[in-house]
Amino acid sequence: LHTCGLTVAGSVYCSGWNIVASVGDGSTAPRLQLTRVSGTNKYFSVRLGEAHACALRTTDSTAFCWGWNPNGQSGAPVGPNVLTPTALGGGLKFFAISAGTIHTCGITVTDSLAYCWGQQANGRLGNKQTAGANIAAPVAVNTADKFSAISAGFEHTCAIRKDGAAFCWGRQFNGRLGNGQVLDANIGYTRQRIGAEGF
């Protein structure tokens, strides 16, 4: 529903449908051309979900999100769309972030731990819960593993541990967790390693 880019100078520009504020310029009017998101922050990374986006501020690695927020995926109180980039609560700093459809995940700077927020149904937040609750603040993924990369999808999440091993959690329907299973089950209690090879 939207497209964003990061300039060499660290500014984020977006365009698209914008009816749920996914462009981040304070409006809900369609943007047919790239429009700078509101504020003066500079960012070093930006990631897009279906209708929300998050970026990491250059000066201190704080996460800022905007757009669609019915499940808390933009890190604000559940419900209203987030019109402009808004700092994620909790004080965590991230070196990597990924916006899924209705959840978001990141890896912290200080300890390389994974945190997620948004809709926890199907175990996609990795917090030992599979019931459909909306979590607007970051919750720790249920592992002490340290990660180097993370990717939030539709109903699942995958991350690369520092030793190169890949792990996924969430809905394993049609083998999407890569654990050899095709049955429809929600894996929110234990991570599922993908094969034996490193990535």
Side-chain angles (χ1 to χ4, degrees):
L1 301 178
H2 64 310
T3 300
C4 295
L6 184 66
T7 69
V8 173
S11 298
V12 174
Y13 284 78
C14 300
S15 62
W17 188 40
N18 200 38
I19 195 169
V20 292
S22 53
V23 168
D25 67 343
S27 79
T28 54
R31 297 301 185 196
L32 303 182
Q33 296 182 325
L34 288 171
T35 303
R36 185 173 177 173
V37 302
S38 295
T40 59
N41 287 328
K42 302 296 184 181
Y43 303 96
F44 66 88
S45 178
V46 62
R47 295 292 182 265
L48 309 188
E50 180 179 351
H52 76 292
C54 294
L56 300 177
R57 188 165 62 184
T58 301
T59 55
D60 60 4
S61 297
T62 295
F64 285 76
C65 300
W66 61 92
W68 197 42
N69 194 52
N71 306 101
Q73 63 264 46
S74 291
V78 173
N81 299 320
V82 181
L83 296 176
T84 61
T86 301
L88 182 69
L92 295 172
K93 311 297 182 183
F94 299 94
F95 70 82
I97 198 165
S98 178
T101 301
I102 52 177
H103 75 296
T104 305
C105 297
I107 305 173
T108 57
V109 170
T110 55
D111 48 23
S112 298
L113 296 178
Y115 287 78
C116 297
W117 56 96
Q119 171 58 257
Q120 74 178 11
N122 307 112
R124 72 192 77 190
L125 301 190
N127 63 338
K128 298 184 69 174
Q129 302 296 321
T130 57
N134 298 316
I135 311 294
V139 294
V141 171
N142 183 42
T143 178
D145 287 342
K146 297 182 181 300
F147 296 100
S148 59
I150 196 163
S151 181
F154 173 48
E155 295 177 315
H156 68 296
T157 308
C158 294
I160 305 296
R161 198 167 62 184
K162 282 200 167 184
D163 64 359
F167 291 87
C168 297
W169 54 90
R171 190 180 181 196
Q172 72 177 15
F173 187 56
N174 289 331
R176 69 187 70 178
L177 299 190
N179 62 347
Q181 301 296 317
V182 297
L183 297 177
D184 188 0
N186 299 319
I187 309 298
Y189 293 86
T190 58
R191 60 196 187 280
Q192 303 293 302
R193 182 167 182 168
I194 301 176
E197 297 294 326
F199 289 86

